[in-house]
Amino acid sequence: MSSSPALARRLGTFDASLIGLGSMIGAGVFAAFTPAAAAAGSGVLIGLVVAAFVAFCNATSSAQLAAAYPTSGGTYVYGRERLGQWPGFLAGWGFVIGKTASAAAMAITFAAYAAPQGWERPVAIAAVVILTAVNYHGVTRTAGLTRILVMAVLAAVAITVAAVWGSSGPQFGNIAGEGLLAHGLYGILQSGGLLFFAFAGYARIATMGEEVRDPRRTIPRAIGIALGITIVVYTVVSVTVLAALGPDGVAANATPLAAAVDNGTLRWAAPVVRVGAAVASLGALLALIAGLGRTSLAMAREHDLPNWLAAVHPRYKVPHRAETVIAVAICVIISVADLRGAIGFSSFGVLLYYLVANVAAFTQPREDRRYPKALQVAGALACVLLVATLPPLSAALGVLMFLVGILYRFVRLKLSAVRD
């Protein structure tokens, strides 16, 4: 492994949990329910249970692995340590391409709520530049801003839910719609795969393992806290928007929470929803840039990405070059991104990332085990199943990008062998 400077351990359980929360809640509440409802109708509630179960299995694997390997890089490192270089590379590549698309989606979501019409893309790019600058100045700045953003988002969601149920809009009959199984098992599983996009933020805690104090204790606790709170919030929000709009209304509206408020009598809360959506998107984007930078750092240390990306800033102790390159890539994607396509594409990469995590955790020795192997088997099988049910275009693009990654590493290894 490369001997590049170490990152600074500055995060406790509270801040690590908030970074995970900021990643998940920003993505899910305001972006994932619309395509999930389009796939499953009222069955989105079952899809949510499926996504939460898969996320729980994956989270236990990530927590178990992070306690044993408390360094930056997450499943990229775990895959290399437990399974070999190729599985580790594929996990890291899946995370980088999937989460870069996700970061672009979050920037676009922010701009959709915050920018004047016609200015969405410039505002989205500006948000990426500003948040990259925040990350550049140290992980404590990242955690501090995340703390503010998460608290604001939770407050906005609470006000929104209260406004919807306090008005004449919601009807319990809307929740069932045509029936939970009206769109079939395939639709439910596809909605689960799309909603999994919303749960994947807890990985950010593991990818920042080199910056967490007492990682063997802190990382498992932070992952459990962040995932538990997120499941509660998503359940409340999904029931609320279905009761207010019905499954067809959720599927037809890109901003279902705002539409749910507008559908009732307490429309004064609509601006709160829009502010909350913008803030949530910023929180998710902030954490995504941080996690992408750390995984790119780990891959560069092992020469799976260019070595110069392994640099750590001597003063701020952050992977400044990796974060800068990631920010440029996000800005490029923003110019051509489609929000729904980005969610499916991101889910493809991240589900394969967690497939490697589950298999790696399955191989850990008894002294490193915290959870039964059955959870890792269930998590791995569920990842494969959900990948197979994602929208065909998202799956095709995902396969293409993995082939590009495999070709890149194969060529790099051949060139290294020739030089040696």
Side-chain angles (χ1 to χ4, degrees):
M1 180 177 288
S2 170
S3 59
S4 62
L7 303 175
R9 295 194 181 277
R10 294 171 175 167
L11 299 178
T13 301
F14 182 71
D15 284 330
S17 300
L18 284 179
I19 286 174
L21 272 175
S23 302
M24 288 186 277
I25 292 179
V29 170
F30 301 102
F33 282 109
T34 295
S42 292
V44 69
L45 293 174
I46 303 177
L48 181 63
V49 174
V50 171
F53 173 73
V54 178
F56 173 75
C57 293
N58 295 344
T60 58
S61 293
S62 294
Q64 181 173 291
L65 288 160
Y69 305 101
T71 187
S72 286
T75 299
Y76 168 70
V77 173
Y78 314 148
R80 285 181 64 92
E81 293 290 339
R82 303 301 315 167
L83 304 174
Q85 294 185 6
W86 270 106
F89 171 80
L90 292 175
W93 186 262
F95 182 88
V96 169
I97 64 171
K99 287 306 181 180
T100 300
S102 180
M106 287 301 97
I108 292 170
T109 301
F110 164 74
Y113 284 95
Q117 188 171 5
W119 286 83
E120 289 87 353
R121 295 191 192 278
V123 169
I125 291 172
V128 173
V129 172
I130 292 170
L131 293 185
T132 301
V134 172
N135 273 323
Y136 193 99
H137 284 79
V139 72
T140 52
R141 299 286 181 87
T142 301
L145 182 54
T146 299
R147 187 183 302 127
I148 296 170
L149 295 176
V150 169
M151 296 304 179
V153 171
L154 291 176
V157 170
I159 292 170
T160 301
V161 170
V164 171
W165 287 104
S167 72
S168 59
Q171 302 291 330
F172 281 103
N174 289 339
I175 296 176
E178 298 177 354
L180 295 179
L181 303 178
H183 287 237
L185 180 61
Y186 180 84
I188 289 172
L189 291 175
Q190 186 176 112
S191 75
L194 293 169
L195 286 171
F196 182 78
F197 161 86
F199 283 105
Y202 56 81
R204 222 73 64 248
I205 303 169
T207 59
M208 300 177 75
E210 198 171 321
E211 294 158 282
V212 174
R213 297 193 302 268
D214 190 11
R216 289 181 177 272
R217 174 176 175 271
T218 298
I219 294 175
R221 290 184 63 185
I223 288 175
I225 291 169
L227 182 60
I229 294 173
T230 300
I231 290 173
V232 172
V233 171
Y234 285 177
T235 301
V236 171
V237 168
S238 61
V239 170
T240 298
V241 296
L242 284 173
L245 303 175
D248 291 339
V250 176
N253 202 304
T255 56
L257 272 177
V261 173
D262 289 335
N263 194 52
T265 56
L266 301 179
R267 295 185 178 88
W268 59 265
V272 176
V273 182
R274 298 191 178 279
V275 171
V279 171
S281 301
L282 285 179
L285 179 58
L286 180 68
L288 281 165
I289 293 171
L292 283 163
R294 274 67 182 176
T295 299
S296 299
L297 167 71
M299 295 182 74
R301 283 173 169 173
E302 298 293 348
H303 311 295
D304 279 333
L305 288 177
N307 292 354
W308 60 274
L309 292 177
V312 174
H313 196 282
R315 177 180 175 186
Y316 299 119
K317 304 299 182 184
V318 296
H320 56 298
R321 291 179 183 171
E323 288 190 349
T324 301
V325 170
I326 288 294
V328 171
I330 294 169
C331 291
V332 170
I333 293 173
I334 287 171
S335 65
V336 295
D338 170 78
L339 184 59
R340 292 191 181 192
I343 289 175
F345 180 74
S346 176
S347 293
F348 184 95
V350 176
L351 281 165
L352 291 182
Y353 173 88
Y354 283 114
L355 171 62
V356 175
N358 282 302
V359 176
F362 184 85
T363 69
Q364 286 185 275
R366 182 184 300 273
E367 59 269 21
D368 288 338
R369 303 202 60 80
R370 292 168 176 256
Y371 304 98
K373 287 188 173 183
L375 285 177
Q376 288 125 42
V377 173
L381 292 176
C383 285
V384 173
L385 181 62
L386 293 185
V387 162
T389 58
L390 285 172
L393 179 59
S394 298
L397 289 174
V399 170
L400 177 62
M401 289 307 299
F402 270 93
L403 290 176
V404 169
I406 291 170
L407 179 62
Y408 160 76
R409 189 169 193 268
F410 181 79
V411 170
R412 186 192 63 79
L413 291 174
K414 286 293 185 182
L415 290 176
S416 296
V418 170
R419 285 196 298 267
D420 293 341

